[in-house]
Amino acid sequence: DAKTTQPPSMDCAEGRAANLPCNHSTISGNEYVYWYRQIHSQGPQYIIHGLKNNETNEMASLIITEDRKSSTLILPHATLRDTAVYYCIVRVALFSGGYNKLIFGAGTRLAVHP
Amino acid sequence: ETGVTQSPTHLIKTRGQQVTLRCSSQSGHNTVSWYQQALGQGPQFIFQYYREEENGRGNFPPRFSGLQFPNYSSELNVNALELDDSALYLCASSSGEGPLSYFGPGTRLTVL
């Protein structure tokens, strides 16, 4: 079973920031938070991941609360191409030959509109 | 650096038949995982191969089997197809030492 809880759907206006929440209240100390997204009928695409510090890359920012029980993915300037299902996943860091299973929940369906 | 590729893109089979799906992992990646994604649901982990050995399996029956080759490409075989096997089958590769999985575009299987 997925260890995360996400709202089933969200809307965002084009050009505005999209803030996607995720609850992971049972996260362990060695588990990272990963975000993937899946544009219709394509394979999931990695966005960002983090352990406890906030992270930013060219796609998004990840804000993790101090108690690590929740996080928010921020798309600073959403475009129509960001319309997708966004998955929040918690998992331990991979080691060589390690078990790389990702447990996907239902995700959040983000609709960006003009 | 080439990405993960899968073939075929689409496939139609009838109940009871067998199917083989193929995946070429990203250059330098030695771990391949397969996922099944039914319509409207998140991907479900089937199994993982590392250096040609299965080293992890999800809740799927034995009629789902796989192979990994010395070049780290992989096959997913499904025997005795059932209607519920209709889904998008995704392959993901990773380096085994990095935290990221890179997914292919998937194969859409329809069982009639």
Side-chain angles (χ1 to χ4, degrees), chain A residues 19-35:
Chain A
N19 297 290
L20 291 87
C22 179
N23 287 320
H24 31 79
S25 58
T26 61
I27 192 169
S28 301
N30 62 347
E31 287 184 314
Y32 286 69
V33 180
Y34 291 81
W35 283 83

Side-chain angles (χ1 to χ4, degrees), chain A residues 34-108:
Chain A
Y34 291 81
W35 283 83
Y36 281 78
R37 74 179 182 183
Q38 188 173 25
I39 297 171
H40 182 63
S41 294
Q42 298 181 19
Q45 175 191 24
Y46 165 79
I47 302 173
I48 199 168
H49 74 285
L51 183 62
K52 55 183 178 180
N53 296 320
N54 298 338
E55 301 288 344
T56 296
N57 63 20
E58 65 279 3
M59 290 183 68
S61 295
L62 174 60
I63 308 298
I64 302 174
T65 58
E66 192 169 345
D67 63 7
R68 303 208 326 122
K69 292 185 177 181
S70 65
S71 61
T72 301
L73 177 74
I74 301 172
L75 308 179
H77 306 287
T79 71
L80 298 179
R81 288 176 292 181
D82 292 322
T83 293
V85 178
Y86 287 77
Y87 296 100
C88 170
I89 299 167
V90 296
R91 203 204 66 192
V92 297
L94 189 68
F95 55 92
S96 180
Y99 197 34
N100 196 13
K101 176 180 179 180
L102 295 173
I103 301 175
F104 290 83
T108 295

